[in-house]
Amino acid sequence: MPTIYDVAALAGVSPATVSRVLNGIPVSLDRAQRVRDAAEALSFTPNRAARTMRNRHSEIIALVIPDIENPFFTAIARGVEDVAQSAGFSVVLCNTDDDTAKEARYLSIAVSENMAGVILASADPSVDLSRLQRLDRPIVAVDRVPLGWLIDSVVLDSAAGGRDATEALYAQGFRRIACITGSPSVPNSAERADGWREVVHRHGDDNETYLRHSNSRVEGGRAAMHELLSLASPPDAVFVANNLMGVGALQALADAELTPKDVGVAVFGDLPSSVRPPTDVIVIPQQTRRLGESAARLLLERIDGDTEPARTIVLPSVPREPHAKSV
Amino acid sequence: MPTIYDVAALAGVSPATVSRVLNGIPVSLDRAQRVRDAAEALSFTPNRAARTMRNRHSEIIALVIPDIENPFFTAIARGVEDVAQSAGFSVVLCNTDDDTAKEARYLSIAVSENMAGVILASADPSVDLSRLQRLDRPIVAVDRVPLGWLIDSVVLDSAAGGRDATEALYAQGFRRIACITGSPSVPNSAERADGWREVVHRHGDDNETYLRHSNSRVEGGRAAMHELLSLASPPDAVFVANNLMGVGALQALADAELTPKDVGVAVFGDLPSSVRPPTDVIVIPQQTRRLGESAARLLLERIDGDTEPARTIVLPSVPREPHAKSV
DNA sequence: TTGTAAGCGTTATCAG
DNA sequence: CTGATAACGCTTACAA
């Protein structure tokens, strides 16, 4: 593995000059050319570990997500990658499997590898970020905001998602609208239910018995939907708070040999592309990719030395309206 | 960020002693304890960049895959992670999006970051691995074997998969069995078709007009299935060579308001968990997770200094039979 | 066993 | 503009 010393020797210049050429610092034209030729000849690539050590941080961003199999998070990853790569950073994905210990491990690695920054969708609302904060390492929360830390965050407008979905069901003539969401202790889940409740009340209804908190994945949605369908007086429609639960709810519907024509279904979030939603399912799209893009931009600013107070970006749920309408 | 010098000062020992404790090299008991206490007190974590530079390689394995949204690859990732983590290595995922340039970029980063090794499912059968080979960096190919390089590889038994699926269809009484597979220039695709052809011939049939090469993802499977269904004399069953194409084929079937009872379907590979296969679909499972585990084990051996000639491991398609039967 | 010191490959400072 | 030189934090001969 050649070093800048080898390149310098071959080019007949000092190592410092090689470093300058590599980093775009002005150098006389002929020397620059000699360096480039020499580097080419040796197929030299800078040793990033050395560079990291010297610079105090690498050119790598860690994206720590709970479930690599959930298209919601992989879409975020796409957004992050796009922005990061065009700024010259690479993104590595760290899959925590919703396991707190694994997450802690990856966070620790990000620190000790001197990665440029971390974008985190935490498995644990009460994750400990003290070390990252103390060391002043750039970190941005995406989709899930850890409690009690002043950090940049980017989230979807969950309440609006719940409202929009529920309104859409009312607009189609449904009246007894249920809600399937995740644990009430998770802000996203709670806010989506709040949005649903708000609209239900506005229409003069009170469907609190139709509210189901369940595990946020497919099985949870499925189980909750089964429950709702077996009520003495079942709902005529349901708002489902996320994509995977949506898949589960549709499965339960199919199990009961029903379709979204029989029982209305509105899902907040795009279904996995391998799932073909039956016709008439209402999908309230999420700006998932933009979630990643915004997080990456925020992070890049911090890496660049921005020291503004922590910001929170709430992305509106309506596509084609990237920015909230201002007055 | 404290260094071993800080720890050493606090513990009243030399930096070398700190390093020894950290690396499990024998040190007198009381000193060891003092070092641990000091490290604890400073919440010290070794700087991995420095360690990497000194040791010539890090404790990180890069897993480079073409599509993070395909459960086939994420299952591999699980297997890799399990084995790697229990050996003290961390895994970072690099998503190439089947983009040759992105892949080259990640491979280059793996080298210049001095990562311990690379597990690669390449987007490009003729990927250039000369640099990795020249620098003697451990690399293992998984699922997709790059052409022309002597490197360790782990693959599924594609021909057996094709045979098993086709046999299963014959066993259910189907006779005009089609095959939907990927590009003939991709070994996996070709071999799966070979397996199908072998069984078809063995049954005295010749269904070559029922062979469809298509793009290896959902759309490809769907388009191919549509084509087959619209033939003047359509097949009565179809073998589909991978999971995503399987999803597409099932979609096409549903489009035509048919079920796998009408047209038999056998898929080599588990369908995404968000897809509920209609009853009667035959799924020939793949040992996907084990694919990752084996690749990781192979890689770890190389990292450990193993210099045996390159090996190729072919995993049998039958589950519960991890090892090929020996005589 | 323990400490001292050199060196891994870069970049930044400081003279020239 | 250019070159020597000193770090960056860690491991490992080598000496004690």
Side-chain angles (χ1 to χ4, degrees):
Chain A
M1 188 92 152
T3 74
I4 53 171
Y5 281 81
D6 302 316
V7 177
L10 185 58
V13 302
S14 77
T17 297
V18 176
S19 175
R20 291 189 182 106
V21 173
L22 260 38
N23 291 289
I25 293 166
V27 147
S28 74
L29 254 51
D30 64 320
R31 279 163 181 277
Q33 194 51 52
R34 295 209 317 268
V35 168
R36 272 190 288 270
D37 291 346
E40 171 74 16
L42 298 171
S43 64
F44 164 84
T45 324
N47 180 323
R48 300 171 79 118
R51 184 177 269 181
T52 294
M53 179 164 156
R54 174 68 217 207
N55 290 348
R56 323 302 298 263
H57 72 81
S58 76
E59 241 70 61
I60 292 186
I61 290 171
L63 173 58
V64 183
I65 53 179
D67 179 9
I68 198 191
E69 312 220 346
N70 185 339
F72 175 79
F73 293 110
T74 52
I76 292 178
R78 290 279 163 77
V80 170
E81 274 185 355
D82 283 353
V83 172
Q85 305 223 352
S86 54
F89 288 79
S90 300
V91 179
V92 297
L93 269 47
C94 307
N95 179 34
T96 66
D97 250 332
D98 254 317
D99 173 336
T100 313
K102 264 187 162 181
E103 179 175 300
R105 180 147 189 242
Y106 276 119
L107 290 178
S108 165
I109 288 176
V111 170
S112 61
E113 286 282 348
N114 293 304
M115 293 189 183
V118 174
I119 297 179
L120 171 67
S122 179
D124 176 9
S126 53
V127 56
D128 180 9
L129 301 177
S130 57
R131 188 136 166 274
L132 286 155
Q133 291 243 291
R134 189 153 22 85
L135 296 174
D136 209 34
R137 297 308 179 85
I139 178 165
V140 173
V142 67
D143 180 54
R144 306 172 172 194
V145 183
L147 301 164
W149 306 97
L150 294 169
I151 62 174
D152 293 320
S153 333
V154 190
V155 295
L156 297 172
D157 190 338
S158 283
R163 285 195 300 267
D164 293 351
T166 310
E167 286 290 14
L169 289 168
Y170 271 107
Q172 296 207 349
F174 297 105
R175 286 298 172 267
R176 301 196 315 283
I177 301 175
C179 170
I180 297 179
T181 189
S183 162
S185 65
V186 173
N188 283 345
S189 305
E191 288 167 21
R192 289 169 199 191
D194 291 343
W196 159 81
R197 186 179 295 109
E198 184 185 328
V199 172
V200 166
H201 285 176
R202 187 189 305 143
H203 283 261
D205 298 325
D206 174 357
N207 301 6
E208 212 61 29
T209 54
Y210 286 157
L211 174 60
R212 285 292 176 284
H213 293 289
S214 187
N215 146 351
S216 283
R217 280 158 306 174
V218 176
E219 324 80 69
R222 189 148 165 249
M225 190 69 183
H226 272 302
E227 266 183 56
L228 289 170
L229 290 174
S230 61
L231 288 178
S233 154
D236 64 358
V238 62
F239 153 59
V240 192
N242 74 39
N243 61 346
L244 295 190
M245 296 185 104
V247 170
L250 289 171
Q251 290 181 353
L253 214 56
D255 288 340
E257 311 214 325
L258 293 169
T259 76
K261 249 194 255 302
D262 309 310
V263 177
V265 176
V267 180
F268 185 43
D270 301 284
L271 300 174
S273 63
S274 56
V275 173
R276 302 191 87 199
T279 44
D280 302 314
V281 172
I282 298 167
V283 171
I284 307 293
Q286 296 171 329
Q287 306 211 56
T288 329
R289 192 168 181 139
R290 191 178 296 272
L291 211 46
E293 292 168 355
S294 299
R297 268 191 288 268
L298 232 44
L299 188 71
L300 289 172
E301 288 177 25
R302 294 299 180 188
I303 292 172
D304 246 29
D306 178 359
T307 60
E308 298 292 305
R311 285 152 294 189
T312 296
I313 295 180
V314 178
L315 294 181
S317 67
V318 188
R320 312 265 155 254
E321 295 206 359
H323 306 292
K325 277 179 191 156
S326 25
V327 197
Chain B
M1 190 89 151
T3 73
I4 53 171
Y5 283 82
D6 301 316
V7 177
L10 185 58
V13 301
S14 77
T17 299
V18 176
S19 174
R20 291 187 183 109
V21 174
L22 260 37
N23 292 289
I25 294 166
V27 147
S28 73
L29 254 50
D30 63 322
R31 278 161 185 275
Q33 195 50 53
R34 282 186 359 240
V35 168
R36 272 190 289 270
D37 291 346
E40 171 73 16
L42 298 171
S43 64
F44 164 84
T45 324
N47 180 323
R48 299 170 80 118
R51 182 177 273 180
T52 294
M53 179 163 158
R54 177 67 218 217
N55 290 348
R56 321 304 296 264
H57 73 80
S58 77
E59 240 70 62
I60 292 185
I61 290 172
L63 173 58
V64 183
I65 53 179
D67 179 9
I68 198 191
E69 313 220 346
N70 185 339
F72 175 78
F73 293 110
T74 52
I76 292 179
R78 288 282 163 77
V80 171
E81 274 185 356
D82 283 353
V83 172
Q85 304 222 353
S86 54
F89 288 79
S90 300
V91 179
V92 297
L93 269 47
C94 307
N95 180 35
T96 66
D97 249 334
D98 255 318
D99 173 337
T100 314
K102 264 186 162 182
E103 178 173 301
R105 179 145 188 245
Y106 277 119
L107 290 178
S108 165
I109 287 176
V111 170
S112 61
E113 286 280 349
N114 293 304
M115 292 188 184
V118 174
I119 297 178
L120 170 68
S122 180
D124 177 9
S126 53
V127 57
D128 180 9
L129 300 178
S130 57
R131 187 135 166 276
L132 285 155
Q133 290 241 293
R134 189 153 20 86
L135 296 173
D136 208 34
R137 298 308 178 87
I139 178 165
V140 174
V142 67
D143 180 53
R144 305 171 172 196
V145 183
L147 302 164
W149 305 97
L150 293 169
I151 62 174
D152 292 321
S153 333
V154 190
V155 295
L156 297 172
D157 190 338
S158 284
R163 285 194 300 267
D164 293 350
T166 310
E167 285 290 14
L169 288 168
Y170 271 107
Q172 296 207 350
F174 297 105
R175 286 298 172 266
R176 301 197 314 283
I177 301 175
C179 171
I180 296 179
T181 189
S183 161
S185 65
V186 173
N188 283 345
S189 305
E191 288 166 21
R192 290 169 199 191
D194 290 344
W196 160 82
R197 186 179 294 108
E198 183 184 328
V199 173
V200 166
H201 286 176
R202 188 188 307 144
H203 284 261
D205 298 325
D206 175 356
N207 302 5
E208 211 61 28
T209 55
Y210 284 157
L211 174 60
R212 285 292 175 284
H213 293 288
S214 187
N215 146 351
S216 283
R217 279 158 307 175
V218 177
E219 325 79 69
R222 189 147 166 251
M225 191 68 184
H226 272 301
E227 266 183 57
L228 288 170
L229 290 174
S230 61
L231 289 177
S233 154
D236 65 357
V238 62
F239 153 59
V240 191
N242 74 38
N243 62 345
L244 296 190
M245 297 184 104
V247 170
L250 289 172
Q251 290 181 354
L253 215 57
D255 289 341
E257 312 212 326
L258 293 169
T259 76
K261 250 194 255 301
D262 308 310
V263 178
V265 176
V267 180
F268 184 42
D270 302 285
L271 299 173
S273 63
S274 56
V275 173
R276 302 191 87 198
T279 44
D280 300 315
V281 172
I282 298 168
V283 171
I284 306 294
Q286 297 171 329
Q287 307 211 55
T288 328
R289 193 170 180 139
R290 192 178 295 271
L291 211 46
E293 292 168 355
S294 299
R297 268 191 287 268
L298 233 44
L299 188 71
L300 288 172
E301 287 176 25
R302 293 299 180 189
I303 291 172
D304 246 29
D306 178 1
T307 60
E308 298 292 305
R311 285 152 295 188
T312 296
I313 295 181
V314 178
L315 294 182
S317 67
V318 188
R320 310 268 153 254
E321 294 206 359
H323 306 292
K325 278 178 190 155
S326 24
V327 200

